[in-house]
Coordinates of all heavy atoms in Angstrom, one line a residue:
P104 N -13.6 22.4 11.2 CA -14.7 22.0 10.3 C -14.2 21.7 8.9 O -14.6 20.7 8.2 CB -15.6 23.2 10.2 CG -15.4 23.9 11.6 CD -13.9 23.6 11.9
E105 N -13.2 22.4 8.4 CA -12.6 22.2 7.1 C -11.8 20.9 7.1 O -11.9 20.1 6.1 CB -11.7 23.3 6.7 CG -12.4 24.6 6.3 CD -11.5 25.7 5.9 OE1 -10.3 25.4 5.4 OE2 -11.8 26.9 6.1
L106 N -11.1 20.6 8.1 CA -10.3 19.4 8.2 C -11.2 18.1 8.3 O -11.0 17.2 7.6 CB -9.3 19.4 9.4 CG -8.5 18.1 9.6 CD1 -7.6 17.8 8.3 CD2 -7.6 18.2 10.8
V107 N -12.3 18.2 9.1 CA -13.2 17.1 9.2 C -13.9 16.9 7.9 O -14.2 15.7 7.5 CB -14.2 17.4 10.3 CG1 -15.4 16.4 10.3 CG2 -13.5 17.3 11.7
K108 N -14.2 18.0 7.2 CA -14.8 17.8 5.8 C -13.9 17.1 4.9 O -14.3 16.2 4.1 CB -15.2 19.2 5.3 CG -15.9 19.2 3.9 CD -16.3 20.6 3.5 CE -17.0 20.5 2.1 NZ -17.4 21.8 1.7
K109 N -12.6 17.4 4.9 CA -11.6 16.7 4.1 C -11.5 15.2 4.5 O -11.5 14.4 3.6 CB -10.2 17.4 4.3 CG -10.0 18.7 3.6 CD -8.6 19.2 3.8 CE -8.4 20.5 3.2 NZ -7.0 21.0 3.3
I110 N -11.5 15.0 5.8 CA -11.4 13.6 6.3 C -12.6 12.8 5.8 O -12.4 11.7 5.3 CB -11.2 13.6 7.8 CG1 -9.9 14.1 8.3 CG2 -11.5 12.2 8.4 CD1 -9.7 14.4 9.8
N111 N -13.8 13.4 5.9 CA -15.0 12.7 5.5 C -15.1 12.4 4.0 O -15.8 11.5 3.6 CB -16.2 13.4 6.0 CG -16.4 13.2 7.5 OD1 -16.0 12.3 8.1 ND2 -17.0 14.2 8.2
S112 N -14.3 13.2 3.2 CA -14.4 13.0 1.8 C -13.3 12.0 1.3 O -13.3 11.6 0.1 CB -14.1 14.3 1.1 OG -12.8 14.8 1.2
M113 N -12.4 11.6 2.2 CA -11.3 10.7 1.8 C -11.8 9.2 1.9 O -12.6 8.9 2.7 CB -10.2 10.8 2.8 CG -9.4 12.1 2.8 SD -8.2 12.0 4.1 CE -7.6 13.8 4.0
P114 N -11.2 8.4 1.0 CA -11.5 7.0 1.2 C -10.8 6.5 2.4 O -9.8 7.1 2.9 CB -10.9 6.3 -0.1 CG -9.9 7.3 -0.6 CD -10.4 8.7 -0.1
A115 N -11.3 5.4 3.0 CA -10.8 4.9 4.2 C -9.3 4.5 4.1 O -8.5 4.6 5.1 CB -11.5 3.6 4.7
T116 N -8.8 4.2 2.9 CA -7.4 3.9 2.8 C -6.5 5.1 3.0 O -5.4 4.9 3.5 CB -7.1 3.3 1.3 OG1 -7.6 4.3 0.4 CG2 -7.8 2.0 1.1
C117 N -7.0 6.3 2.8 CA -6.3 7.5 3.1 C -6.2 7.8 4.5 O -5.2 8.3 5.0 CB -6.9 8.7 2.3 SG -6.5 8.7 0.5
I118 N -7.2 7.4 5.3 CA -7.2 7.5 6.7 C -6.0 6.7 7.3 O -5.2 7.1 8.1 CB -8.5 7.1 7.4 CG1 -9.7 7.9 6.8 CG2 -8.4 7.3 8.9 CD1 -9.5 9.4 6.8
D119 N -5.9 5.4 6.8 CA -4.8 4.6 7.2 C -3.5 5.2 6.8 O -2.5 5.2 7.6 CB -5.0 3.2 6.5 CG -3.8 2.3 6.8 OD1 -3.4 2.1 7.9 OD2 -3.2 1.8 5.8
A120 N -3.4 5.8 5.6 CA -2.2 6.4 5.2 C -1.8 7.6 6.1 O -0.6 7.8 6.3 CB -2.3 6.9 3.7
I121 N -2.8 8.4 6.6 CA -2.5 9.4 7.5 C -1.8 8.9 8.7 O -0.7 9.4 9.2 CB -3.7 10.2 7.9 CG1 -4.2 11.1 6.7 CG2 -3.5 11.1 9.1 CD1 -5.6 11.7 6.9
Y122 N -2.3 7.8 9.3 CA -1.7 7.2 10.5 C -0.3 6.7 10.2 O 0.6 6.9 11.0 CB -2.6 6.1 11.0 CG -3.9 6.5 11.7 CD1 -5.1 6.0 11.2 CD2 -3.8 7.4 12.8 CE1 -6.3 6.4 11.9 CE2 -5.0 7.8 13.4 CZ -6.2 7.3 12.9 OH -7.4 7.7 13.5
R123 N -0.1 6.1 9.0 CA 1.2 5.5 8.7 C 2.2 6.6 8.5 O 3.3 6.5 8.9 CB 1.1 4.7 7.4 CG 0.5 3.3 7.7 CD 0.6 2.3 6.5 NE -0.3 2.7 5.4 CZ 0.0 3.4 4.3 NH1 1.2 3.7 4.1 NH2 -1.0 3.7 3.4
E124 N 1.8 7.7 7.8 CA 2.7 8.8 7.6 C 3.1 9.5 8.9 O 4.3 9.8 9.1 CB 2.1 9.9 6.7 CG 1.9 9.4 5.2 CD 3.2 9.2 4.5 OE1 4.3 9.7 5.0 OE2 3.2 8.5 3.5
V125 N 2.2 9.7 9.8 CA 2.5 10.3 11.1 C 3.3 9.3 12.0 O 4.3 9.8 12.6 CB 1.2 10.7 11.9 CG1 1.5 11.1 13.3 CG2 0.5 11.9 11.1
E126 N 3.0 8.1 11.9 CA 3.8 7.1 12.6 C 5.3 7.1 12.1 O 6.2 7.1 12.9 CB 3.3 5.7 12.5 CG 2.0 5.4 13.3 CD 1.3 4.2 12.8 OE1 1.6 3.5 11.8 OE2 0.3 3.8 13.5
K127 N 5.4 7.2 10.8 CA 6.7 7.3 10.2 C 7.5 8.5 10.6 O 8.7 8.5 10.9 CB 6.6 7.2 8.7 CG 8.0 7.1 8.0 CD 7.8 7.0 6.5 CE 9.2 7.0 5.8 NZ 9.2 6.9 4.4
F128 N 6.7 9.6 10.7 CA 7.3 10.9 11.1 C 7.9 10.7 12.5 O 9.0 11.1 12.8 CB 6.3 12.0 11.1 CG 6.8 13.3 11.8 CD1 7.7 14.1 11.3 CD2 6.4 13.5 13.1 CE1 8.2 15.2 12.0 CE2 6.8 14.6 13.8 CZ 7.8 15.5 13.2
W129 N 7.1 10.2 13.4 CA 7.5 10.1 14.8 C 8.6 9.1 15.0 O 9.5 9.2 15.9 CB 6.4 9.8 15.8 CG 5.6 11.1 16.0 CD1 4.3 11.4 15.6 CD2 6.0 12.3 16.7 NE1 3.9 12.6 15.9 CE2 5.0 13.2 16.6 CE3 7.2 12.6 17.3 CZ2 5.1 14.5 17.2 CZ3 7.3 13.9 17.9 CH2 6.3 14.8 17.8
N130 N 8.7 8.1 14.2 CA 9.8 7.1 14.2 C 11.1 7.7 13.8 O 12.1 7.4 14.3 CB 9.4 5.8 13.4 CG 8.4 5.0 14.1 OD1 8.2 5.0 15.3 ND2 7.6 4.2 13.4
E131 N 11.0 8.5 12.7 CA 12.2 9.1 12.1 C 12.6 10.4 12.7 O 13.7 10.8 12.7 CB 12.1 9.2 10.6 CG 11.9 7.8 10.0 CD 11.6 7.9 8.5 OE1 11.6 9.1 7.9 OE2 11.5 6.9 7.8
Q132 N 11.6 11.2 13.2 CA 11.7 12.5 13.8 C 12.5 13.5 13.0 O 13.5 14.1 13.5 CB 12.2 12.4 15.2 CG 11.3 11.6 16.1 CD 11.7 11.7 17.6 OE1 12.5 12.5 18.0 NE2 11.1 10.9 18.4
P133 N 12.1 13.7 11.7 CA 12.8 14.7 10.9 C 12.3 16.1 11.4 O 11.4 16.2 12.3 CB 12.3 14.4 9.5 CG 10.9 13.9 9.7 CD 11.0 13.0 11.0
D134 N 12.8 17.1 10.8 CA 12.3 18.5 11.1 C 10.8 18.6 10.7 O 10.4 18.3 9.6 CB 13.1 19.5 10.3 CG 12.6 20.9 10.5 OD1 12.7 21.5 11.6 OD2 12.0 21.4 9.5
L135 N 10.0 19.0 11.7 CA 8.5 19.0 11.5 C 8.1 19.9 10.3 O 7.3 19.5 9.4 CB 7.8 19.5 12.7 CG 6.3 19.6 12.7 CD1 5.6 18.3 12.4 CD2 5.8 20.3 13.9
E136 N 8.7 21.1 10.2 CA 8.4 22.0 9.2 C 8.8 21.5 7.8 O 7.9 21.5 6.9 CB 9.2 23.3 9.4 CG 8.7 24.5 8.5 CD 7.4 25.1 9.0 OE1 7.1 25.0 10.2 OE2 6.6 25.5 8.1
S137 N 9.9 20.9 7.6 CA 10.4 20.3 6.4 C 9.5 19.2 6.0 O 9.1 19.0 4.8 CB 11.8 19.9 6.4 OG 12.7 20.9 6.7
W138 N 9.2 18.3 7.0 CA 8.3 17.1 6.7 C 7.0 17.6 6.2 O 6.5 17.1 5.2 CB 8.2 16.3 8.0 CG 7.2 15.2 7.9 CD1 7.4 14.0 7.3 CD2 5.9 15.2 8.5 NE1 6.2 13.2 7.4 CE2 5.3 13.9 8.1 CE3 5.2 16.1 9.2 CZ2 4.0 13.6 8.5 CZ3 3.9 15.7 9.6 CH2 3.3 14.5 9.3

Side-chain angles (χ1 to χ4, degrees):
E105 287 179 28
L106 180 58
V107 168
K108 185 176 178 180
K109 286 181 182 183
I110 289 169
N111 288 331
S112 71
M113 293 177 189
T116 55
C117 285
I118 304 306
D119 175 56
I121 289 170
Y122 288 123
R123 283 187 288 102
E124 291 293 344
V125 170
E126 288 166 351
K127 185 177 179 184
F128 167 78
W129 283 112
N130 286 336
E131 296 176 359
Q132 297 189 14
D134 174 69
L135 178 63
E136 192 74 30
S137 299
W138 172 78

